Amino acid sequence: MASPTGSDRLLRGAVRHTAGTTAALLLCSVAGAACSLAVPALAGGTLDLLLRHQPGAGTWLLWTAVLLAAEVLLESGSVLLTQLANARATAWIRLRALSGLLGTAPHRAAPHPGGDVATRLCVNATDSGTAPAALATSVSAVLVPIGALVALALIHPWTAAVFVAGLPLLLLLLRTFAVQSSDSVGRYQRAQGAIAARLAEALGGARTIAAADTARHEEERVLVPLPEMARHGTRMWHVHGRAVARSGVLLPLLTTAVVAVAGVGLAAGEVSMGGLLAASRYAALAAGIGGIAAPLGTLIRARSAARRTAELADLAPMSHGSAVLPPDAPGDLQLRGVRVTRGGVPLIRDVTLSIGGGSTVAVVGRSGAGKSTLAAAAGRLTDPDAGSVLLDGVDLAELSRSELRGATAYAFARPVFDGGATPTIGTALAAGTGPARSPATPTSVRDAATAACADTFVRLLPLGYDTPVDDAPLSGGEAQRLGLARAFIGRGRLMILDDATSSLDTATERQVEAALATPSRACTRLIVAHRVSTAARADQVVWMEAGRVRRSGPHSLLWEEPEYRAVFTAEAQPAEAPSRSTGPGGPPESVSSGAPPSAVPGTGAGE
């Protein structure tokens, strides 16, 4: 969990971002507080003038009315500015959290489930955004009681003394409220995030749940944190209710005591009738120190929510340099002693590879061998814990973001298309060019789709390339072909296909590979493969086992080893490596592995 320092830093940034609006709110609140403090004095003075039949009562009454009207207008302005400050602060906090989430390496963002992230970005960011306005209004919430207490001392010192005698109880009440409320709010928000995360998981696996008829079990699983959430929510209301009940007894007692003392002063001739009226009003305003509980409660919720939001904002960003790649270089890729460890578990260890520019390399191995981790390190979706990755002799960590993403293109087993950012099929494919390049033309989009064997089915959609992404009924293979098209249009020096053809039939896969091999699409290709045919058509095969490179070389040479054949078959068969004339290496597709591994999170080229 992020430290309180991280949350405080986030809230301070929100205050700075809304400085203008917050300052205007503060001025309105303070001016309104001044009006509130001036009205009782003017009303009391008016009453004394009227009772004594002295001139000037009408002027004092007019000023009283003006201040009352100003107080109403300032209160209305404060409400408007509060909402504006809340909106601006929330937007800034949300963008900070989103930037932290998207700017870090995928493995650092992975521990935060989608539902929990949505809760942090929506609910918790909104609660955090109320802090600047709450700070401004809390100033007036404190100024009014202090000013009223000073006014009581001026009217009659004993009225102020009586009120001060009850302050320790009131302050103890506020402290108890702050401590208990902070704990219950934090626990409530964590339980709320847990439910959202489980619900998102269930929605993602809705088809599996329906097929397995486990809806009731999933419902129970999703709602496991609900009793805890209800318990802490109930505790929040109990804390609030006890604070209101106690203040509802204490504050009227204090007000009554102040008025009683002022009445004694009136009987003794030490306080005028107008002074008694003003004292009664100031006693009520001084008792309003209990009203600090509202902005205090808001600040408590905001700080607790900011702790959760700051976890996203404070995610370590991937640093980038300013280096550029040498022009017209072939795309040589080198991995030198690369090690990647996650959660204390080494995923790949001491991987050293040299891949010539323009070649096609297939990475094979059993599930968990480290293939996808290798692919992620090769295109810098993750940074190695040791070693380095170089493209054309330049360390990927030294490249600028635009240079890195312009030089690499990714396609995944389960590509994701954002219907909000890229509403149509055409714009979704065009997004593969990345922000640093010129926008893709309709012709280049169609060419990329044709190379990925996607143009035919896209043209059959109701609106063709203008079909909304969310309305396109795509099969797994069609989605993969669109992901490949997006990678093709953003082709740089290095193209990484992380099991991106697993859902394609053999004929379509060969057409895609033929398109990749054309001179117009020449680049270095790193393909995480599960099919024998893919490995057989590669220039080189990297055989991964337990996070290490067991062997690398031509498929025909590796095929002679039974353990290599066992990577692709349920049971190794003593067979000789087939010649290229009888097929591009390996047994028929029917013996290829069926289930692809988990894809590296991402949505396509240059992610």
Side-chain angles (χ1 to χ4, degrees):
M1 178 175 293
S3 66
T5 302
S7 65
D8 292 343
R9 185 169 57 249
L10 186 68
L11 293 180
R12 285 196 297 269
V15 171
R16 287 194 298 269
H17 181 72
T18 60
T21 307
T22 304
L25 174 59
L26 180 60
L27 288 175
C28 274
S29 300
V30 171
C35 290
S36 299
L37 292 171
V39 166
L42 286 174
T46 301
L47 179 60
D48 285 340
L49 290 175
L50 289 172
L51 292 175
R52 296 169 186 167
H53 303 289
Q54 293 180 351
T59 302
W60 281 62
L61 185 61
L62 178 61
W63 277 111
T64 302
V66 169
L67 288 178
L68 285 172
E71 185 179 358
V72 172
L73 291 176
L74 289 169
E75 180 65 25
S76 300
S78 296
V79 172
L80 177 62
L81 290 170
T82 295
Q83 299 304 317
L84 186 59
N86 288 348
R88 289 180 175 176
T90 298
W92 184 84
I93 289 173
R94 193 168 286 156
L95 286 174
R96 284 273 296 136
L98 189 60
S99 297
L101 184 68
L102 298 180
T104 192
H107 75 272
R108 293 195 181 98
H112 300 283
D116 183 59
V117 168
T119 302
R120 293 172 192 252
L121 292 177
C122 297
V123 179
N124 297 148
T126 301
D127 288 339
S128 303
T130 60
L135 281 172
T137 53
S138 64
V139 173
S140 62
V142 172
L143 285 179
V144 169
I146 292 176
L149 191 59
V150 172
L152 284 175
L154 293 175
I155 292 172
H156 195 287
W158 282 108
T159 58
V162 169
F163 189 87
V164 170
L167 275 182
L169 290 176
L170 187 57
L171 294 176
L172 179 62
L173 174 66
L174 290 176
R175 182 181 181 279
T176 302
F177 170 77
V179 172
Q180 295 181 351
S181 181
S182 178
D183 179 68
S184 57
V185 166
R187 294 177 183 272
Y188 179 88
Q189 290 173 342
R190 287 193 292 273
Q192 187 181 48
I195 289 179
R198 292 172 183 236
L199 179 59
E201 291 173 358
L203 291 175
R207 289 188 299 179
T208 302
I209 293 170
D213 193 23
T214 58
R216 182 61 182 174
H217 176 270
E218 283 299 309
E219 179 181 340
E220 294 173 353
R221 186 185 69 86
V222 169
L223 297 180
V224 164
L226 185 59
E228 181 184 4
M229 182 178 171
R231 183 170 63 256
H232 294 302
T234 303
R235 185 187 174 202
M236 287 167 53
W237 284 110
H238 284 169
V239 169
H240 181 75
R242 285 195 297 268
V244 170
R246 290 167 182 171
S247 62
V249 174
L250 179 59
L251 297 181
L253 287 176
L254 286 176
T255 304
T256 302
V258 169
V259 173
V261 171
V264 172
L266 176 65
E270 298 172 353
V271 178
S272 66
M273 183 61 71
L276 177 62
L277 174 64
S280 65
R281 177 56 184 159
Y282 282 128
L285 291 176
I289 194 172
I292 192 66
L296 179 61
T298 301
L299 285 173
I300 289 171
R301 288 194 302 274
R303 193 163 184 263
S304 179
R307 289 191 182 101
R308 290 173 51 77
T309 312
E311 290 184 9
L312 302 183
D314 292 343
L315 286 171
M318 291 190 75
S319 61
H320 295 274
S322 56
V324 295
L325 293 168
D328 302 323
D332 292 334
L333 180 66
Q334 290 181 311
L335 287 82
R336 298 177 178 175
V338 172
R339 184 182 78 247
V340 177
T341 302
R342 298 291 176 257
V345 178
L347 302 183
I348 58 175
R349 295 173 286 184
D350 303 322
V351 172
T352 297
L353 290 172
S354 182
I355 300 174
S359 61
T360 300
V361 174
V363 182
V364 304
R366 296 181 183 276
S367 179
K371 302 184 298 298
S372 290
T373 304
L374 177 65
R380 208 187 173 212
L381 284 183
T382 190
D383 281 328
D385 297 286
S388 58
V389 182
L390 289 79
L391 183 61
D392 286 324
V394 182
D395 195 319
L396 295 186
E398 298 176 359
L399 293 174
S400 66
R401 182 189 295 272
S402 59
E403 185 76 2
L404 172 65
R405 291 305 162 213
T408 58
Y410 267 95
F412 301 100
R414 292 180 289 275
V416 176
F417 301 95
D418 184 357
T422 54
T424 68
I425 294 292
T427 55
L429 300 186
T433 58
R437 297 185 181 182
S438 301
T441 64
T443 300
S444 61
V445 169
R446 286 193 295 272
D447 289 345
T450 300
C453 301
D455 179 71
T456 302
F457 78 79
V458 170
R459 289 180 180 274
L460 294 176
L461 293 173
L463 299 176
Y465 286 90
D466 293 326
T467 301
V469 169
D470 294 335
D471 295 340
L474 301 177
S475 66
E478 290 169 342
Q480 278 196 349
R481 279 182 270 176
L482 290 181
L484 287 166
R486 181 169 56 186
F488 287 172
I489 204 171
R491 177 192 56 81
R493 306 184 186 206
L494 175 64
M495 183 177 293
I496 300 173
L497 309 183
D498 188 357
D499 206 26
T501 60
S502 59
S503 295
L504 304 184
D505 59 79
T506 304
T508 301
E509 183 186 20
R510 293 190 179 185
Q511 292 178 39
V512 169
E513 290 175 351
L516 278 170
T518 59
S520 63
R521 299 187 181 277
C523 64
T524 305
R525 296 170 290 276
L526 186 68
I527 305 175
V528 175
H530 285 75
R531 290 179 175 177
V532 176
S533 59
T534 304
R537 284 189 288 269
D539 299 315
Q540 181 181 357
V541 176
V542 175
W543 176 13
M544 299 287 296
E545 187 174 272
R548 297 180 183 272
V549 177
R550 177 163 175 175
R551 282 194 63 184
S552 63
H555 170 76
S556 57
L557 182 62
L558 296 179
W559 188 257
E560 296 175 359
E561 298 191 28
E563 291 184 4
Y564 175 77
R565 295 197 298 270
V567 170
F568 303 97
T569 59
E571 180 178 355
Q573 298 293 332
E576 307 228 354
S579 65
R580 296 258 179 184
S581 60
T582 58
E589 289 297 327
S590 60
V591 299
S592 63
S593 174
S598 297
V600 177
T603 57
E607 296 163 342

